[in-house]
Amino acid sequence: MTDIRKLPHGRESCVSYYGDYVLKRPLPTLGDEAREKWLVKQHKTKDVIDSIRAVGNPIYNVPEMIHIHDEEYQILERYAPGEPLTAKLFNSLTRRQQVEIVYSLAHFLVDMNESRPVKEWTRHKIADELKFTRLNNFIDNKMARWFSNEEIRFMDRVRNEIGTFEYETRPAWSHCDLNPGNVLYDAKNSRLSFIDFAEAGYQLIYRDIFSIVSMELGIGARVYEAYNEIHNFDLYDIPGPNTENMRKIMKYRLATVLLRRLIKAADDMRLNPANEKSVANNEQKVAFARDVMQRLKELGVGNELV
């Protein structure tokens, strides 16, 4: 008999695959209260999945959550074919397949945003999304250990740019967790599947458009252009993709995705490494930070004094 603790699992669920179906259960290590919260989350997820599936858009796939068995703490879902939509996979595809992916993402985002009323315009300061005390700690206290004065000055300019940028936006119904693991590409059918709607809710409209997936694949501007073509402007208006303000929003939204990763890596750097493993970890995080800084430069962030 298979030990349930050795089954494939995520942070909260064990997963079993049966052909075209997936059976999920809460991890056996979860207590009663956590199991109940798990069950509530599954019902919320099913409501979100049912609402987006009701749109009936054939361009993309959202696997059905077929049944929730409350007493047994089990859910039965359709299997989502494909593999995570990483940059490596995307870059291996034909131009036509890449265009299809851009439009599939745009269709999904429009359908999510339009499935429930958008809220009123609000002024948003993008720095509010970042842990600025942690970013400051990296720039002011850690960088001098591993980075050049030029690199420190660059990050100081990035901090100043991000810290002052504000824009008008709207909260809209969103997926809220569009990373490559939640967007699967099936090469056989040239089709995307979107999974894991547990975090779905109202979010600032550009967060999903310029998501981790858009940043990884380098297609944020193309997705927004396609979104602009498909979107029903009778429901809500959005700026055109070629306006100066929209280009800034694109740039700083993608920069924010990168900075979240840099901050996480910086938190893991040790000023006084205790052993060789810590030294190697620092070297890895420094290399990662330099890669992020290069990508920020390519976006055009931090290149000029503010």
Side-chain angles (χ1 to χ4, degrees):
M1 179 179 293
T2 303
D3 185 345
I4 191 172
R5 291 170 296 184
K6 295 181 180 179
L7 289 172
H9 64 82
R11 288 175 295 180
E12 298 177 328
S13 304
C14 292
V15 183
S16 303
Y17 298 94
Y18 301 95
D20 293 333
Y21 300 94
V22 179
L23 182 67
K24 294 182 179 178
R25 306 179 182 89
L27 291 175
T29 54
L30 296 183
D32 290 342
E33 183 178 353
R35 286 161 65 87
E36 290 301 323
K37 289 181 178 179
W38 180 90
L39 199 59
V40 169
K41 183 182 286 187
Q42 306 315 311
H43 279 283
K44 174 197 170 185
T45 301
K46 188 176 189 306
D47 288 342
V48 176
I49 288 174
D50 289 348
S51 66
I52 190 65
R53 283 179 55 82
V55 176
N57 195 328
I59 290 179
Y60 59 82
N61 174 49
V62 174
E64 180 185 9
M65 184 181 283
I66 300 167
H67 179 66
I68 302 177
H69 196 306
D70 289 4
E71 291 77 14
E72 297 293 333
Y73 294 93
Q74 294 180 355
I75 59 175
L76 184 66
E77 298 178 339
R78 293 281 182 184
Y79 174 73
E83 56 184 299
L85 185 58
T86 62
K88 181 179 179 181
L89 172 60
F90 183 78
N91 292 332
S92 71
L93 301 175
T94 66
R95 171 68 176 169
R96 177 173 179 173
Q97 289 172 315
Q98 291 177 352
V99 170
E100 289 172 347
I101 285 173
V102 168
Y103 273 88
S104 292
L105 276 164
H107 272 273
F108 171 75
L109 292 167
V110 168
D111 289 346
M112 282 292 294
N113 294 162
E114 293 184 355
S115 64
R116 305 190 187 192
V118 298
K119 298 187 178 182
E120 293 301 316
W121 287 101
T122 184
R123 191 74 180 169
H124 176 61
K125 189 173 184 180
I126 204 164
D128 292 342
E129 300 175 33
L130 294 168
K131 306 295 184 181
F132 247 70
T133 55
R134 290 157 60 187
L135 181 62
N136 291 337
N137 182 51
F138 170 63
I139 297 171
D140 299 333
N141 301 320
K142 287 187 172 183
M143 285 196 74
R145 178 68 63 92
W146 299 286
F147 299 88
S148 69
N149 289 334
E150 182 180 349
E151 288 170 321
I152 296 171
R153 287 194 294 269
F154 169 75
M155 282 306 302
D156 189 47
R157 294 195 299 272
V158 169
R159 171 172 56 183
N160 292 337
E161 279 192 52
I162 292 292
T164 57
F165 183 69
E166 296 183 11
Y167 64 97
E168 297 288 331
T169 186
R170 295 174 180 269
W173 188 249
S174 306
H175 182 282
C176 298
D177 193 16
L178 287 178
N179 64 73
N182 291 336
V183 184
L184 308 179
Y185 180 68
D186 180 12
K188 181 179 180 181
N189 298 307
S190 296
R191 198 178 188 204
L192 293 183
S193 289
F194 295 89
I195 63 173
D196 196 352
F197 289 79
E199 303 300 323
Y202 275 94
Q203 183 54 271
L204 301 177
I205 193 166
Y206 306 121
R207 286 283 294 271
D208 271 6
I209 297 173
F210 305 109
S211 63
I212 294 176
V213 166
S214 293
M215 188 272 295
E216 290 284 357
L217 274 54
I219 58 173
R222 293 163 63 188
V223 170
Y224 187 72
E225 288 172 2
Y227 184 106
N228 209 265
E229 292 176 19
I230 301 164
H231 159 60
N232 181 359
F233 278 83
D234 291 335
L235 296 178
Y236 54 90
D237 58 320
I238 53 175
N242 295 317
T243 61
E244 181 181 357
N245 189 52
M246 193 64 231
R247 287 194 293 269
K248 287 183 178 180
I249 292 171
M250 292 181 194
K251 177 172 72 171
Y252 289 118
R253 283 248 52 92
L254 294 172
T256 302
V257 175
L258 289 168
L259 282 171
R260 285 199 192 97
R261 292 183 166 187
L262 185 145
I263 290 169
K264 185 176 180 180
D267 286 347
D268 201 32
M269 293 179 185
R270 298 291 176 260
L271 291 175
N272 298 298
N275 49 48
E276 290 184 6
K277 183 178 180 181
S278 294
V279 171
N281 175 73
N282 280 349
E283 292 173 351
Q284 181 183 21
K285 296 301 186 294
V286 167
F288 177 80
R290 285 201 167 103
D291 179 66
V292 169
M293 285 188 274
Q294 179 59 37
R295 297 178 75 173
L296 287 169
K297 288 178 182 178
E298 292 168 359
L299 281 176
V301 180
N303 291 338
E304 298 179 2
L305 292 175
V306 177

